[in-house]
Each structure stands twice: as C-alpha cells, then as structure tokens.
Amino acid sequence: MAEAVFSYKAYPKDCELEKVACALVDKHPCLKAPGSNGGWEGWKLSLKFKMANYRQKLRYAGCPEITVNFRQGSSRPSLKRPQKSELNFLPDHPVGFSEEDLVKERALMEEEVKKKDMSLSVLNSKMEVTFSLRRKEIVADQPLVSTVKQRWPGLFIEEQDTEALEDHTKNMKMGILEVVKESADSSRSLTSVVSVAVVLEEEVVMDNLPDYTDAFILLFGLLYALNTEYPKDLKYTFDVVQKVFLHLGNECTARVQSLKNKLVHM
C-alpha cells in the first residue's frame, strides 16, 4: 500500500491519506474498524506510519528524492516548503541508463543546439531522457542561472542575440524586459512593443517573445525548472498566480485565500 501511495506522491498530506483510507474500507467493508464513525481512522494512522517507514527504507537505499530532503545529523527530515506543488521532485534515472550514459546524452544535446539546422525532435528527445540528471544538478547543486544556461541550453531554446540588452539587465535579479519602438511622429508619444525578454540573475535567458503574457508564463515555468524561490517582494503575486489562476496546490496563505474568496463571490 505504501509503495502504491509513493508512486503518486512521496509526502502525502493528512487529507490525502484520509481519502486513501476511505477508499480502502469502501472497497473492502470487512476492514472497517467497529466502534468508529467511518471505520477508516485507524487505517489512516497506519498508512501514515507505513509511509514514514517506507521513505526511511528508500533513503537507506539512496533514493534521490528522499535523500535530498533529509537533514544530516538529525533524526527528523528537513523538508523545503513546496512552493510549486512539488517537493524537490527528483525522479530516478530512466531504465537502462546510468549516470554516465546521461552525461553523454547531455553532451550530445549540447552539440545539437550548436548546429545550424538543429532538429527539435532530437533536442526534445535528449531533454526528456536527461530530465532526472538535470533535476539532480539543479536541486542538489543549486547552480547559477548562467551555469544552467551553459549546460542545458535546451531550456532556453527561444534565446537570440541578447548583447544589446545587457546594459538594461544590471542588478536585475528577475524581470521581464520590453523592447519598444518609438513612433516616427514626434507629436505623438505612442510606442509599440518590438520584443519581450525574460531576465534571471542579470542574464537574458529568453528573447524575442511575442508578448508580456507569454513571457510571464515562461518566467513562471523557469522558476520551477531552475528550482528558484519567489522574490520576497513579489511572493504573494506569484502565490496568487500559482494557487488561484493555475490551480497548482491547495493550501493558501490568509491573504491569498481572502483574495480567492472575493473573486469567487464577484
């Protein structure tokens, strides 16, 4: 049972374990505990302990997703707060691939990006098969965006020549940069957006995007892909986007929940 639950989520919440316990006694009524309201309460507690024991066995076996969430020198796991509805998701390497094989695949992917007639199907295939290696590097080593950009260029395949924008990205930890063209008519102050770029750690990681909306969604995806925390001054903005608009995760802060309730009753 613990193995089946783990295949869906490594760290299930109490409400999720409750659903599993309810489904168990509904399918097998003989398992209902006499003298209780639903008959599943004991199974929920049992599943909670079974999951803890199963995670401990996987940690001893070297499971990456469990190991990365364990604090050395303490008997209790140190879990990073899940802000993207995932908890340091670290899958095992694909069947039939060792870490050395994946390193070679990454090198082939890097060479493919440099080709003038780059094949997107080949690139996508290499990016998919090396996903576990990429997540291991990003979550465990926490490299700079410039390092990720160099080692995993497939994540930033939209990038173009960005040298002209470097003067505008100094001291910009995270942002969206719009390149505008002023009107030829000097009597009018209208401008038109020529291009939109995504900036992370003073690096233009994606350029020539069609509009601000696409740039924001790509920025949001990159924050997950690079395991980057939300900026403190925009934490609630990103929380609203994640929990209210994208429906990623159920638990909300009081501020976000208040806004969510107001939007529902509008």
Side-chain angles (χ1 to χ4, degrees), residues 144-205:
L144 295 173
V145 171
S146 56
T147 303
V148 179
K149 186 177 178 181
Q150 179 183 1
R151 288 184 56 78
W152 302 97
L155 280 175
F156 313 96
I157 199 60
E158 294 287 346
E159 67 172 297
Q160 302 293 332
D161 182 16
T162 59
E163 293 182 0
L165 303 178
E166 289 181 356
D167 292 339
H168 304 281
T169 62
K170 292 180 180 178
N171 301 321
M172 185 183 291
K173 183 179 179 181
M174 179 185 304
I176 296 175
L177 198 63
E178 287 186 332
V179 180
V180 299
K181 180 180 180 181
E182 295 184 355
S183 173
D185 187 353
S186 58
S187 63
R188 305 177 66 184
S189 59
L190 296 178
T191 59
S192 58
V193 177
V194 177
S195 176
V196 185
V198 175
V199 180
L200 287 173
E201 295 180 0
E202 302 185 12
E203 288 270 345
V204 176
V205 293

Side-chain angles (χ1 to χ4, degrees), residues 1 19-32:
M1 178 67 75
K19 292 179 180 178
V20 174
C22 289
L24 180 64
V25 297
D26 285 345
K27 187 172 183 179
H28 304 284
C30 61
L31 296 179
K32 285 187 177 181

Side-chain angles (χ1 to χ4, degrees), residues 103-116:
V103 170
K104 293 178 182 178
E105 291 291 325
R106 189 205 66 79
L108 292 174
M109 178 270 298
E110 192 173 358
E111 291 298 323
E112 184 66 32
V113 172
K114 295 177 182 179
K115 293 180 180 179
K116 185 175 181 180

Side-chain angles (χ1 to χ4, degrees), residues 109-126:
M109 178 270 298
E110 192 173 358
E111 291 298 323
E112 184 66 32
V113 172
K114 295 177 182 179
K115 293 180 180 179
K116 185 175 181 180
D117 53 344
M118 178 186 63
S119 171
L120 285 177
S121 60
V122 173
L123 178 63
N124 290 335
S125 175
K126 300 295 184 187

Side-chain angles (χ1 to χ4, degrees), residues 83 173-174 223 228-239 253 255:
Q83 62 180 20
K173 183 179 179 181
M174 179 185 304
L223 291 183
T228 304
E229 293 184 356
Y230 296 150
K232 291 183 179 180
D233 52 344
L234 293 174
K235 178 181 182 301
Y236 292 109
T237 301
F238 280 96
D239 274 346
T253 62
R255 289 187 182 183

